[in-house]
Amino acid sequence: MVHLGNYLGAIKNWVALQDLYETFFFIVDLHAITLPYDAPELSKATRSTAAIYLACGIDSSKASIFVQSHVRAHVEMMWLLSFSTPIGWLNRMIQFKEKSRKAGDENVGVALLTYPVLMASDILLYQSDLVPVGEDQTQHLELTREIAERVNNLYGRRKWKKLGGRGGSLFKVPEALIPPAGARVMSLTDGLSKMSKSAPSDQSRINLLDPKDVIVNKIKRCKTDSFPGLESDNPERPECRNLLSIYQIITGKTKEEVVSEC
């Protein structure tokens, strides 16, 4: 399910990027199966996500849109990169630590540990210069950069030139393209956690395909606090700040205008 956080934090920015760069946008169905899934639902969600990309403004005449699993080189590259990726690098990944702690070791597959290597292959396969990422994904991109540099050091330079390679490097080392500040949307049930597809409660997120009455009901029932009035910069009021931030981003108003109006 594509939710409001995905749209405001990523897809909305992609629409502008396709006019500035050669862009690749794909539906990450291989990443989706790192957690338990239903095969028919996954197929349906893959088509739905592709349709949402198009509906949000991704133009297939300007950008490449495809399904990750349809390009076998993604998993082939992952297998090759895994030989050069130390297990210690993967053990330190924050998202793996958090999700494995919540689910327990017996309920966590190896793929949850190794999927950052697949993410690295997604990027390095296309010799990408820039990767649009949110603040919570910078660690994954840094891992990609470390893997690229390690492979270049192990197999590049003179060895690579002897095999006909150019520049002495197998891979470009990509840079992060950070979206404008303030586009991070948090959970409706926990203002300290980002809005997530994998959160067990659907009440925690606004899905782009939710009917209007469902969205209204989720906003009415979302977690708030017992403080009087509204503030957007009080760290003790994350839920209040999140709701004001969502409203500000959607309306395009300033922070001051939103606080005054609400």
Side-chain angles (χ1 to χ4, degrees):
M1 283 293 189
V2 178
H3 56 69
L4 185 64
N6 298 139
Y7 174 70
L8 295 176
I11 300 175
K12 187 177 180 181
N13 295 315
W14 296 352
V15 175
L17 293 178
Q18 66 184 348
D19 292 320
L20 301 174
Y21 305 100
E22 180 185 7
T23 49
F24 296 84
F25 303 115
F26 52 97
I27 294 87
V28 288
D29 56 339
L30 293 175
H31 285 295
I33 62 177
T34 56
L35 297 172
Y37 70 99
D38 177 82
E41 283 298 315
L42 177 64
S43 179
K44 180 181 176 182
T46 299
R47 289 184 170 86
S48 174
T49 301
I52 286 173
Y53 281 11
L54 296 171
C56 289
I58 302 297
D59 187 343
S60 60
S61 67
K62 299 178 181 178
S64 296
I65 309 175
F66 58 96
V67 179
Q68 184 185 29
S69 64
H70 291 184
V71 182
R72 294 183 179 181
H74 284 253
V75 288
E76 292 169 357
M77 175 75 83
M78 177 193 179
W79 182 244
L80 295 173
L81 292 180
S82 66
F83 301 137
S84 301
T85 306
I87 192 73
W89 290 6
L90 299 178
N91 281 327
R92 75 186 188 209
M93 302 304 288
I94 294 173
Q95 289 194 7
F96 170 73
K97 289 180 180 179
E98 291 179 347
K99 291 182 179 180
S100 61
R101 185 174 63 249
K102 290 179 181 178
D105 291 343
E106 293 300 317
N107 299 314
V108 173
V110 173
L112 188 62
L113 176 67
T114 59
Y115 91 88
V117 184
L118 177 58
M119 184 180 289
S121 79
D122 296 336
I123 296 166
L124 300 178
L125 185 63
Y126 298 95
Q127 298 289 13
S128 306
D129 296 290
L130 298 168
V131 185
V133 292
E135 291 179 0
D136 59 317
Q137 294 173 317
T138 54
Q139 189 186 36
H140 284 115
L141 181 58
E142 192 55 40
L143 177 69
T144 298
R145 289 169 52 82
E146 290 176 342
I147 292 174
E149 289 171 345
R150 184 177 174 87
V151 171
N152 287 341
N153 185 53
L154 290 173
Y155 306 108
R157 300 175 182 176
R158 292 181 180 178
K159 301 173 188 176
W160 182 236
K161 284 187 176 181
K162 284 182 180 179
L163 294 173
R166 297 181 179 179
S169 295
L170 282 74
F171 297 120
K172 284 185 177 179
V173 180
E175 299 287 344
L177 185 63
I178 306 295
R184 192 178 189 195
V185 178
M186 310 305 282
S187 166
L188 297 182
T189 55
D190 178 8
L192 296 176
S193 301
K194 71 169 186 172
M195 191 173 286
S196 171
K197 299 185 188 76
S198 58
S201 173
D202 192 61
Q203 177 64 31
S204 68
R205 57 187 168 264
I206 296 175
N207 304 303
L208 290 196
L209 298 184
D210 280 345
K212 180 181 178 181
D213 58 334
V214 172
I215 296 174
V216 169
N217 191 45
K218 285 182 176 180
I219 292 292
K220 286 181 177 180
R221 294 178 59 196
C222 70
K223 183 179 179 182
T224 53
D225 58 44
S226 58
F227 289 83
L230 293 173
E231 304 171 88
S232 59
D233 297 315
N234 188 342
E236 295 183 9
R237 306 185 64 185
E239 286 80 21
C240 177
R241 179 174 56 191
N242 184 40
L243 288 176
L244 289 174
S245 177
I246 291 173
Y247 184 64
Q248 178 192 347
I249 295 168
I250 290 175
T251 59
K253 296 181 179 180
T254 66
K255 188 182 299 185
E256 292 73 23
E257 287 174 334
V258 168
V259 172
S260 174
E261 178 183 342
C262 295

